[in-house]
Each structure stands twice: as structure tokens, then as C-alpha cells.
């Protein structure tokens, strides 16, 4: 195994509101909200992914939405959950977040299962499954109503941002950064269009 020395991130590579810092493998990235964790692979490659604190915060927020809608209809619950789920997944779409997305999706399923059992304590598990989960476009266990489908974070395509030129300055070279942002938007559009969920029209009712 190759030993990876501490990696210094120069200020030019930092997103806004991030202070320069030395990082070791697995050390928390010092953003304002501790949203990311940076690791260095054995080959020295920089890997950015959602931090455990960020995952804990979104889990608590989703749990709060479900608790606040204990008596709400399934359609209302899905609509309010999607606002939170899509926003968090979109925020982390350019990081190594697939495993984190899968973890959050599983946590949401567990919370929704408790929500549904609480609403129907005298019903069997099979009845609850038939009531709230459907097979849709070939996918089983789709939490959906007649008008809404719960968004799965795993359906958010990961689109990496390219390496930034170190000799460019956002104040002196605005054209470079505009072109960089435009390219990223185009890559995202292509990724979304080629996504399996989009191809089968999973979220189209």
C-alpha cells in the first residue's frame, strides 16, 4: 500500500466559504457546515463525498418531515419529502455520493415503513405493502400515490467537475469560469437524459 502524504489544498481550489487546510486520509473537510469529507486514495487521488454530519442532518430533517405529517395523506407526504430529498441530492451531485445516496434511501424506507405501520396498527404487513408501495415501470417497492412518486436519491446522476486550471482567477478570467459552468450544465443534462429512470419514464405519471 502506498503511503499518501498530507495534501494541501491551495485557496484557488477552494469553493466559497472554505478555508485552506491540510488534510489526512479521512479527515473532515473544514467547510462552514461540515458538508463534505475529503479523502486521499492510495494513488493520491482526491475524493470528496458527503460527511457523516451532513448525512445525519438530512436524516433528522427527513424524519422531522415524516413526523410532522403523521396524519397527512401519502400524496402530501411525498410532495414535502421530495422537496428535501431532491435538494440534498442535487447539492451533492458532483461528489462521490452514490453510496451515501443508497444509505439515505434505505433510511427513508425504514422511516416510511414505521409511518405506515403507525397509521394501520391492525393491518397485516402485506396489506400495508399493497396500500403504499407499488410496482411501477418494472421497479418494485415504489412509494407512490396517484399523482406523486417518491424520488430516490440513487436516481440522481453523479457528474464530476473537471480539474480547474490553477492559473485562472474568477475576477480576471470570468470567461473561463462561465465556460466551465456551461460545460458542467451540459454534462449534467446528458447524464440526466441517459439515466435509466429518465429512459423508462419512471417519474412520469
Amino acid at each position: 500500500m502506498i503511503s499518501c502524504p498530507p495534501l494541501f489544498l491551495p485557496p484557488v481550489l477552494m469553493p466559497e466559504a472554505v478555508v485552506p487546510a491540510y488534510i489526512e486520509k479521512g479527515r473532515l473537510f473544514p467547510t462552514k457546515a461540515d458538508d463534505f469529507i475529503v479523502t486521499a486514495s492510495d494513488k493520491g487521488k482526491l475524493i470528496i463525498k458527503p460527511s457523516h454530519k451532513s448525512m445525519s442532518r438530512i436524516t433528522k430533517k427527513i424524519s422531522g418531515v415524516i413526523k410532522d405529517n403523521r396524519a397527512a395523506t401519502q400524496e402530501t407526504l411525498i410532495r414535502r419529502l421530495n422537496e428535501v430529498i431532491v435538494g440534498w441530492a442535487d447539492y451533492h451531485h458532483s461528489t462521490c455520493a452514490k453510496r451515501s445516496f443508497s444509505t439515505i434511501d434505505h433510511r427513508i424506507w425504514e422511516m416510511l415503513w414505521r409511518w405506515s405501520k403507525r397509521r394501520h396498527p391492525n393491518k397485516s404487513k402485506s396489506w400495508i405493502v399493497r396500500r403504499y408501495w407499488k410496482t411501477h415501470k418494472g421497479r418494485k417497492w415504489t412509494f407512490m400515490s396517484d399523482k406523486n412518486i417518491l424520488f430516490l436519491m440513487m436516481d440522481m446522476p453523479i457528474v464530476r467537475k473537471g480539474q480547474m486550471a490553477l492559473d485562472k482567477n474568477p475576477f480576471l478570467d470570468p470567461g473561463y469560469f462561465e465556460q466551465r459552468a456551461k460545460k458542467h450544465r451540459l454534462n449534467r443534462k446528458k447524464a440526466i437524459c441517459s439515466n435509466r429512470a429518465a429512459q423508462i419514464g419512471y417519474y412520469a405519471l
Side-chain angles (χ1 to χ4, degrees):
M1 182 177 294
I2 302 174
S3 177
C4 184
L7 177 65
F8 180 76
L9 301 182
V12 70
L13 290 179
M14 292 290 180
E16 188 177 358
V18 177
V19 296
Y22 283 96
I23 56 171
E24 296 281 359
K25 189 171 184 179
R27 182 176 172 183
L28 194 63
F29 195 62
T31 63
K32 275 189 174 180
D34 296 333
D35 287 329
F36 305 100
I37 188 170
V38 174
T39 60
S41 68
D42 295 335
K43 296 182 179 180
K45 184 177 181 180
L46 194 67
I47 300 175
I48 304 174
K49 58 185 179 181
S51 69
H52 297 299
K53 287 186 178 181
S54 181
M55 293 176 64
S56 178
R57 281 194 296 269
I58 190 62
T59 300
K60 290 180 180 179
K61 188 170 185 178
I62 291 171
S63 177
V65 172
I66 294 175
K67 288 179 180 178
D68 291 341
N69 290 273
R70 289 171 180 161
T73 63
Q74 184 185 20
E75 182 177 335
T76 300
L77 177 62
I78 292 174
R79 185 175 67 252
R80 293 178 179 173
L81 282 176
N82 279 345
E83 294 174 356
V84 178
I85 295 170
V86 174
W88 194 84
D90 182 68
Y91 179 62
H92 289 282
H93 80 272
S94 61
T95 67
C96 302
K98 275 299 182 183
R99 183 174 295 180
S100 301
F101 287 170
S102 178
T103 298
I104 299 299
D105 280 341
H106 181 68
R107 292 177 183 176
I108 293 172
W109 184 92
E110 290 180 327
M111 288 186 281
L112 290 176
W113 180 252
R114 290 193 294 269
W115 173 85
S116 59
K117 287 184 66 178
R118 182 182 181 278
R119 290 169 68 92
H120 307 284
N122 298 322
K123 295 293 185 179
S124 66
K125 293 181 180 179
S126 58
W127 186 94
I128 293 174
V129 171
R130 290 194 302 270
R131 173 67 176 80
Y132 293 105
W133 282 270
K134 305 290 190 298
T135 297
H136 179 64
K137 300 293 179 69
R139 286 189 180 183
K140 298 181 179 180
W141 291 96
T142 299
F143 192 77
M144 62 181 294
S145 64
D146 294 335
K147 297 181 180 180
N148 284 318
I149 298 177
L150 185 71
F151 182 78
L152 297 176
M153 288 192 182
M154 284 296 294
D155 286 332
M156 177 65 70
I158 300 295
V159 181
R160 304 282 193 271
K161 292 184 178 180
Q163 177 68 41
M164 187 182 298
L166 299 181
D167 60 342
K168 299 297 182 181
N169 186 298
F171 300 103
L172 302 178
D173 307 287
Y176 168 81
F177 289 92
E178 290 174 3
Q179 186 63 28
R180 175 182 166 85
K182 182 179 179 181
K183 182 179 180 181
H184 183 68
R185 288 194 297 269
L186 179 61
N187 289 339
R188 281 205 75 188
K189 185 176 181 180
K190 291 180 179 178
I192 291 173
C193 292
S194 62
N195 183 272
R196 175 61 180 166
Q199 290 180 345
I200 65 175
Y202 181 70
Y203 294 102
L205 290 177

